[in-house]
Amino acid sequence: MIKSFWRSMAGLLLAGLLALPAQAQMQDAATTYSNGKVLLQQQRYDQAMAEFLPLTDAASPYAPEASYFYALAALKSNKPKEAYQMLLQLQNQHPDWTGMADADYLLANVLFEQGEYERALSKLEELRGTPLANDADGLKRFYLNKLNNRAAYEQLLKRFDSDKIVAQAYADKLIGGWYRPEDRQALESIVQHFNLDRNRYLSKNALAGKGYNVALLLPFQLNQPPAQAARKNQFVTDMYAGMKLAQDSLKQQGININLYTYDTSADTMSVVRVLELPELKQMDLLIGPIYKATAKVAARFASQNDINVINPLSQDVDMARGNNHVFLFQSSAETQARQAATYAYQNFSPKTAVILYENTKDDTTFAGNYRRQFIRLGGKVKVYKKISSSQTTETAAAFNSLNLQEVGHLAVFSDKMTAAVNATSLLQGSASKLPLMTYESWLDINQITLRQLDDLEVYFISPKFVDKQNPVNDWFRKKYSSQYNLPPSMYAYAGFEMLYYFGTMLQNYGPQFNQQLATSGILPGAFYPGIGYAERTHRMQLYPDNQYVPITKLDNLQLTVVNPVY
C-alpha cells in the first residue's frame, strides 16, 4: 500500500514537472502576443510582424489571431505580398475561426492594393448580410474611385452587374468627365435599375460634364491698390495658385472642379452680400471665409442650405463645433495637443511627464488639453508649471529646479527663445536622452542649432509638415515655379492639398460627403503625411477638423515623421 502511494506521488510529481515547461511556454506566448498588439497599436508595424510571426504556427493557441494581426501589420507596412500569403495560410489552417469575416475584409483590402479588383470585389460579396457589409461598401467605393482605367472599369461592371456600388461609382465617373453621348443609354439603365437620383445623373448639367462647383470666399482685396494688396494678401494668392494646380491635376483624372472666386474681407457685411447671391445656393462646396466673425455667417448659411463649408486656415475648433456642415482643413490646437499627448503616452516610459508652458492664453489652453489627455490615458503629470519668458532669471530658475528623475518625458509649450534655450541647456547638461515634446517653431529659433536639436530626443508637433523628400514635391515645385516664377509657400501646398482632397471627396461621394469623411479614416495626402476627419481607433465618429497630426524628429538633420499613417 505504501509503495503504491509513493509510486502514485512520483507519477504526479513527474507529470507536474513535465507540465511546467508547457505552462511557461504558454506564458511566453501570451506575453509575445500582447507585445505584438501593443506594437501594432503604436504603428511599429515591422516589429509587430516579428512578434506575431512565431505565433502563426498552426500548433500555437494564438495562431488565428496572430496570423490576422501579422497580415494587418504587413498591409500597414506596405507589404501586401506578405499580408496576402499569411491570410491564405489563415484560411487554410483555420477555416472555422470566428474572426474569418474580418480576415476576408482584410484580404479584399490586400487584393485591392495589389490591383486585383475582380478578386477583391468577389471576396467582399461574401460579406453581404454580415455586420461588415457597410464597411465593405466603403472599401469598394474608395478603391473603385481610384481606378481611372475606363476599359478595366467596364469589365468590372459586366462581371458585377448587380452590384449597386460598382454601378453607382461608374455613373459618378461618367458625369465626372468620362461621359460621351453614346453612354446615355447605359447611364439611363443604371439610374433606373438602381433607383439613383435622376437629377444628379441625367440632368442637362450633369451630362454636360460640368463637374462640381466650388466657391472661394477669400480676402483677395481687389479694391486695394495693387502694391498694398500684394503685401497683405500674398498668402491668399499663394493658396489660390495651389488650388489652380490641384484643379488641373484633378481634371487629368476625369474630375472637373469649377472654381468661383468671391472677394470677402473681415467685414461681415461683405460676406452677407456674397452669400445673398442666388448662385451661391447652387454651389457644391464653399471654401472660406477665413476670419472668425465672417466664418460664423458662412456657418449659418451652410446649415440653412445644406452646403458644406471648409475653413482653410483656422485652428479654432469653436468655428466648427456643433455644425455638421463646417470643417477645418487644419488640425485644431485642441486636436494637436490631444494627439501629441497620445503619442507621448504610447511611446515614452515611464508614463510620467513634466509640463511647462508659456504665460499666454494659447499656450495655457494647449498645455491644459495636453495634460488632460495624458492623464485620461493613465499617465501622471509630476510638474505642471507656468513660465513667463520675459522674466529671464525666473525662467532659468524654473528649469534648473526641475527634478527629472523617473520622468518619462518633458513637454514645453512656448515658442519663446528663452524657454527653448533653457530647455535644451537643461537636457544637454543632465538628461540628453529624455524625450522632449514641443512646437515645430523651435526649428526656426536661431539661438539653437539643428545639430543641438538632433543630438537631443526632441519631438516636434508639426501640423503643417510637408515631406520635401516626396517625389511628388519635385513635380509640384517645378510646376509652380515655372508658372508663377516663385517657389511654393506653405500656403500653396495647403491650397493644392485642400482642393485635391475635397475635390476627390466630391467626385467619390457627391456634395454630401460628411458620413464618408468618417468611414474613410485617415489617408495619405499628396504632400501632407495624412488627412482625415476620424481617429484611427474610432472611424465612425466624425470630427470637425483634421485628426492626423504629424509628430516629427530630426534624424541626421533631416526632419522625419515618427507617427506615419502607414
Side-chain angles (χ1 to χ4, degrees):
M1 178 72 77
I2 294 175
K3 290 182 179 179
S4 176
F5 171 79
W6 285 111
R7 278 199 300 270
S8 299
M9 288 299 296
L12 289 171
L13 288 170
L14 179 60
L17 289 171
L18 291 173
L20 285 175
Q23 184 178 3
Q25 289 176 358
M26 282 292 293
Q27 291 176 344
D28 289 344
T31 300
T32 301
Y33 178 68
S34 179
N35 289 343
K37 289 202 295 183
V38 170
L39 290 167
L40 182 61
Q41 183 183 24
Q42 294 176 346
Q43 300 156 42
R44 296 156 69 181
Y45 300 122
D46 289 340
Q47 292 166 278
M49 291 169 65
E51 288 290 299
F52 287 127
L53 186 58
L55 303 179
T56 61
D57 184 86
S60 169
Y62 293 94
E65 293 83 359
S67 299
Y68 173 81
F69 286 129
Y70 175 94
L72 179 61
L75 178 62
K76 295 285 189 180
S77 188
N78 198 26
K79 297 176 180 176
K81 182 178 179 181
E82 288 86 340
Y84 175 76
Q85 291 171 343
M86 184 58 70
L87 289 170
L88 289 187
Q89 177 180 303
L90 173 59
Q91 288 183 336
N92 292 332
Q93 293 183 351
H94 308 281
D96 298 324
W97 180 48
T98 56
M100 193 53 71
D102 291 288
D104 287 340
Y105 178 89
L106 183 60
L107 179 57
N109 198 337
V110 171
L111 290 168
F112 276 129
E113 284 293 318
Q114 294 178 317
E116 297 280 353
Y117 274 68
E118 185 170 336
R119 292 180 63 197
L121 291 170
S122 297
K123 180 56 64 176
L124 290 179
E125 281 191 331
E126 300 175 17
L127 298 178
R128 286 184 180 178
T130 72
L132 288 174
N134 288 336
D135 288 339
D137 287 346
L139 191 68
K140 284 183 197 177
R141 289 191 186 95
F142 175 73
Y143 281 100
L144 285 169
N145 285 293
K146 291 178 67 175
L147 182 61
N148 291 311
N149 184 325
R150 178 168 177 150
Y153 212 122
E154 290 174 344
Q155 285 298 114
L156 292 177
L157 192 64
K158 291 178 182 178
R159 168 67 176 79
F160 301 96
D161 57 353
S162 62
D163 192 315
K164 181 177 180 178
I165 303 299
V166 175
Q168 187 170 10
Y170 180 71
D172 287 333
K173 291 283 187 180
L174 289 177
I175 65 171
W178 284 4
Y179 182 77
R180 303 167 303 194
E182 55 266 35
D183 295 320
R184 176 71 188 234
Q185 184 176 351
L187 184 57
E188 285 186 341
S189 176
I190 290 173
V191 169
Q192 181 176 353
H193 182 71
F194 294 101
N195 194 29
L196 302 182
D197 183 350
R198 295 185 64 84
N199 185 58
R200 177 181 176 186
Y201 293 100
L202 294 174
S203 67
K204 183 177 179 180
N205 285 342
L207 298 183
K210 290 187 176 180
Y212 294 96
N213 298 329
V214 177
L216 306 180
L217 280 64
L218 300 173
F220 292 99
Q221 298 187 1
L222 299 178
N223 60 340
Q224 298 287 334
Q228 183 178 345
R231 287 194 301 271
K232 287 185 176 181
N233 71 344
Q234 185 62 50
F235 73 98
V236 175
T237 303
D238 291 353
M239 188 162 56
Y240 179 64
M243 289 182 188
K244 292 292 291 182
L245 290 183
Q247 182 186 33
D248 292 342
S249 295
L250 289 168
K251 188 172 184 179
Q252 292 176 14
Q253 300 176 41
I255 303 174
N256 293 325
I257 302 295
N258 306 309
L259 296 178
Y260 297 88
T261 58
Y262 298 87
D263 190 9
T264 56
S265 65
D267 176 21
T268 56
M269 289 309 300
S270 69
V271 175
V272 169
R273 284 192 292 270
V274 168
L275 293 175
E276 287 176 345
L277 296 173
E279 68 261 28
L280 263 293
K281 293 183 180 180
Q282 306 304 315
M283 294 293 166
D284 298 301
L285 180 70
L286 269 60
I287 296 179
I290 63 174
Y291 301 112
K292 190 166 186 174
T294 55
K296 290 180 179 179
V297 176
R300 288 195 296 271
F301 176 87
S303 295
Q304 293 166 359
N305 295 279
D306 204 25
I307 298 174
N308 286 328
V309 174
I310 313 300
N311 190 296
L313 300 177
S314 177
Q315 296 182 5
D316 184 357
V317 74
D318 287 337
M319 282 192 175
R321 206 188 304 272
N323 191 324
N324 295 330
H325 289 287
V326 180
F327 299 92
L328 308 185
F329 180 62
Q330 305 292 343
S331 299
S332 67
E334 179 181 308
T335 295
Q336 293 172 36
R338 190 178 72 250
Q339 298 293 3
T342 300
Y343 179 86
Y345 180 80
Q346 292 176 346
N347 293 276
F348 305 148
S349 291
K351 308 303 179 184
T352 54
V354 167
I355 303 174
L356 276 69
Y357 56 97
E358 192 68 34
N359 184 22
T360 67
K361 179 182 177 182
D362 290 344
D363 294 321
T364 301
T365 302
F366 195 99
N369 285 319
Y370 186 96
R371 176 177 179 267
R372 281 189 291 274
Q373 176 70 358
F374 192 74
I375 293 173
R376 188 187 70 81
L377 293 172
K380 180 180 178 182
V381 176
K382 301 186 73 172
V383 176
Y384 185 68
K385 191 169 187 177
K386 185 181 294 187
I387 60 174
S388 179
S389 292
S390 60
Q391 300 173 351
T392 56
T393 303
E394 289 81 354
T395 300
F399 279 96
N400 292 332
S401 65
L402 293 176
N403 181 0
L404 300 180
Q405 296 296 318
E406 299 182 0
V407 172
H409 78 284
L410 171 66
V412 181
F413 301 121
S414 169
D415 58 7
K416 305 299 183 184
M417 178 271 294
T418 302
V421 169
N422 276 281
T424 52
S425 297
L426 173 65
L427 295 179
Q428 285 174 326
S430 59
S432 62
K433 297 303 180 183
L434 181 70
L436 165 65
M437 182 71 72
T438 191
Y439 299 141
E440 179 185 43
S441 57
W442 282 29
L443 293 164
D444 299 321
I445 295 176
N446 294 329
Q447 288 80 358
I448 307 174
T449 67
L450 291 182
R451 174 53 63 189
Q452 284 177 286
L453 295 171
D454 197 332
D455 290 341
L456 296 172
E457 294 294 308
V458 185
Y459 293 80
F460 304 100
I461 304 166
S462 306
K464 299 176 183 178
F465 176 79
V466 171
D467 183 5
K468 299 297 177 64
Q469 303 304 310
N470 185 341
V472 178
N473 184 60
D474 292 335
W475 165 83
F476 181 73
R477 189 172 59 251
K478 291 176 183 176
K479 183 82 172 176
Y480 190 95
S481 299
S482 66
Q483 194 155 337
Y484 301 107
N485 296 316
L486 289 169
S489 68
M490 58 178 287
Y491 296 105
Y493 284 106
F496 184 101
E497 196 75 81
M498 179 167 39
L499 188 67
Y500 193 89
Y501 178 82
F502 284 104
T504 303
M505 279 288 166
L506 286 170
Q507 172 70 8
N508 290 352
Y509 308 112
Q512 301 305 317
F513 50 69
N514 305 50
Q515 187 56 41
Q516 282 72 30
L517 284 179
T519 56
S520 296
I522 295 173
L523 304 171
F527 307 113
Y528 288 9
I531 306 172
Y533 289 80
E535 287 194 351
R536 301 183 190 199
T537 55
H538 299 88
R539 288 186 58 176
M540 296 307 294
Q541 182 177 349
L542 180 64
Y543 287 83
D545 62 319
N546 184 6
Q547 292 298 294
Y548 177 73
V549 179
I551 306 298
T552 60
K553 187 178 185 298
L554 286 168
D555 183 7
N556 291 324
L557 302 182
Q558 181 65 48
L559 206 60
T560 59
V561 176
V562 296
N563 62 332
V565 174
Y566 294 119

